[in-house]
Amino acid sequence: MVFQLLSLIAALCFAGQLAAQETAPAAAATAWKGKPSPTLEEVRRKKFLRIGVKTDFRPYNSINEQGVVSGFESDLAELIAERLGMRLKKVNTTTENRFQKLVMGDVDILLATVADTAERRGMALAVEPGYNETSVNALFPPGAKIDKWEQVRHDTLCAVQGSYFNKPMGERYLLNLQTYKTVRDAHLALRDGQCSGFMYSTGALDNTRHLPQWAGYTMPLPNALVTPMAVFLTREEQGSELDIAIGDLLAELHRSGWMLEANNKWGIKSTDWLTQQKALWSGKDENGRLNCVRGKNGAWSAACRTAEYVSSEEVTGLQALGLRLKENFGIDLNFVYDPYDRTQFLRGLLYSMLLIASGIAISLTLGIAAATTVDGRNGWRHRALRVLMAYGRLTPPLIMMYLIFFGIGGWTTREFGIKLPAFAVATFCSGFYTAGLIMRAFLEAADHMRRMQPDFVLRLHNIKQTEQFSGLPIKQALINLTKQTMLASAIAIPELLSASSLLIAEKGNIFLTMTALVITFYLTTTLWAKIIHHFEAVLLRPAVHP
C-alpha cells in the first residue's frame, strides 16, 4: 500500500511536470531523456552493466570455440553497453529462469531471445521497438511426411519450458508437449525418439538442421506465431533514462539497417518483419521529419508502437475478474482464472499424486520382497540381489532417470523401436531408490529381533513383528519419496514443481505461484503422511510382539 501511494504521488508529480512543459516547443519533446533510472544509477556506481543472455540459442547467442559468448544478441549487448559508456558483463540465463534473474536483480537488462507477449509485459517492461522477430516451427527426423500443423494434432512434440509459444500452440493445434528444461535435453529426446518432433524458435531450429549431426532433419511446416523479440527491463524503469536510451538506440539500428546486416552476418534467415521495421522507423513526413518520434511523455508515436494487450474489459467471467484483481490490486491468480494455466497446475498435481502412489507401491513391494528373500541366506544370487539393492539405495534417483530414460531408452528406441515411457521410468527410479532403504530397514530390524530370538529369520508371515524397529525409518523413507517426485520434470513429466516453474517462466508470477506451490506441497505431503500412518495402524500395529 505504501509503495502504491508513493507511486501515485510520483505519477502526480510527473504529470505536473508534463503539464508545466505544455508550452515547450514540439522539438524539445524529442529530446526527452526520461525520469531517473534506479538501475542506471546502480550501474554507474558499479561501473559495469550486467546483461542477461542465453548461450544455447545459436545464432542469437552461443559459446564459440574460444569459450566466448557470441551471436546476434551479443553484438547488440555490446552496442548497448557502449551507448551507456559501461563495461559489459554477460550473465548466462535460461528460458526458465531469465525473468526471475531480472526481477531478483541478478541482471540489469534482459536480452535473451524473449518474445514480446502480453504475459511477459505483465512481469517486466518491454523496451520499444523490438529488435528482431521470432516464430515457431518444428524439427522432424528424416522421412517425416507432413506440411501442415493440423497433421501433427495430438502428436507428442518436445518443447522447452518457459517458451512463450507452448501455451498458444498447444491450445491451437491440440499438441501433446513434453517440456524439457534445456534445448540440449530436448535435442537428446528428439534424437532418441522420445517425441515425433521438436517445437522451438524457427531461427534456432533452422541453424540446428544445418549442422552435420542433424543431416536429414527437416522443418516442413510453415512458420507460426510471428512475434517481435524485445529487450526487457524491470517494470519500475518505464519511462526512465535507461528505457529511453535503449529504445532510441534500437530505433537508430532499425533506421541505419544495422539489424538487417547483423541478421545476415549471423546467418539468420531474413524476414519481412525486419524490412518493414527499417521502413517504419526510417519513414519521414512531407517536411522531412521522422514519423516515429517520442511525444512529451517519452512514448513513441502511437502508429509506431506495439498494439495494446488484453485487458479486463475484453474478456468475461472468471478471467475478467482475475484480470481486474491484477490491474487494480496487483494480485495475479493466473493459475485460478486462466483455463490453460489452471489445467497445467491441476495436471501437475494429478501427476504428482500418481507418481507418489506408484512409487510407494513399487518401493514397498520391491523392498519387502528383497528383504524377505535375502535375510538368512548367503548364496551368490542373494549376494547379487543385495548388491543390486545397495546400488539403488546409493544412486541418486535423478542420475538413475537419466541413465535409463536417455541411455537405455535411447538404445531400445534406435535398435528395436521400443520407447520407454517416462512415467514408468520416473516411478521405477523413485521406487527402486526407496526400496533399497526399506530393505535395509527391515534387515536391520531383523538383526534386532535376533537379539531376542536367535533363530528369527525374516519372512512374509512374520514381517509384522519387526514393526517396532522398522516402522519409523520406513515411514521417513516413504515421506521422502513424496518429495522425490519433483525430480520427474527432468524427463518431461509435468508434475507439480514442473507445472509451477512453467507458470513462473511464462507469467513471472513468482510470489503467488510459489506460495500456492508451497501450500499445495505441504498439504500433499501431510495427506500422504496420514495415509502412511493409517496404513501402518491398520496392517502393522495388530501384530503380536513376543
Side-chain angles (χ1 to χ4, degrees), residues 384-441:
L385 181 56
R386 284 178 181 268
V387 171
L388 180 63
M389 297 302 291
Y391 166 79
R393 184 179 75 250
L394 299 175
T395 303
L398 182 60
I399 295 178
M400 204 182 307
M401 286 182 197
Y402 270 99
L403 173 63
I404 296 176
F405 188 71
F406 291 117
I408 298 175
W411 175 73
T412 59
T413 301
R414 289 191 302 271
E415 297 296 326
F416 309 105
I418 300 174
K419 177 181 173 183
L420 297 183
F423 187 90
V425 171
T427 53
F428 172 77
C429 292
S430 180
F432 186 31
Y433 173 80
T434 307
L437 299 175
I438 290 175
M439 184 192 81
R440 184 172 183 177

Side-chain angles (χ1 to χ4, degrees), residues 78-86 244-246 248-249 252:
E78 290 165 6
L79 285 178
I80 292 175
E82 180 182 335
R83 167 63 63 92
L84 298 176
M86 295 293 166
I244 299 301
I246 296 176
D248 286 349
L249 173 61
E252 290 174 19

Side-chain angles (χ1 to χ4, degrees), residues 446-457:
D447 288 338
H448 281 289
M449 291 297 298
R450 278 188 280 272
R451 296 176 185 177
M452 298 176 287
Q453 301 179 47
D455 59 343
F456 181 86
V457 178

Side-chain angles (χ1 to χ4, degrees), residues 16 100 142 162 200 246 248 302 333 390-391 487 516:
Q100 295 178 45
Y200 200 48
I246 296 176
D248 286 349
L333 300 175
Y391 166 79
L487 301 174

Side-chain angles (χ1 to χ4, degrees), residues 374 377-388:
V374 303
R377 294 169 178 154
N378 200 33
W380 69 268
R381 293 185 181 86
H382 306 103
R383 290 196 299 270
L385 181 56
R386 284 178 181 268
V387 171
L388 180 63

Side-chain angles (χ1 to χ4, degrees), residues 18-34:
L18 292 179
Q21 295 172 355
E22 281 294 330
T23 57
T30 61
W32 195 81
K33 298 299 181 183

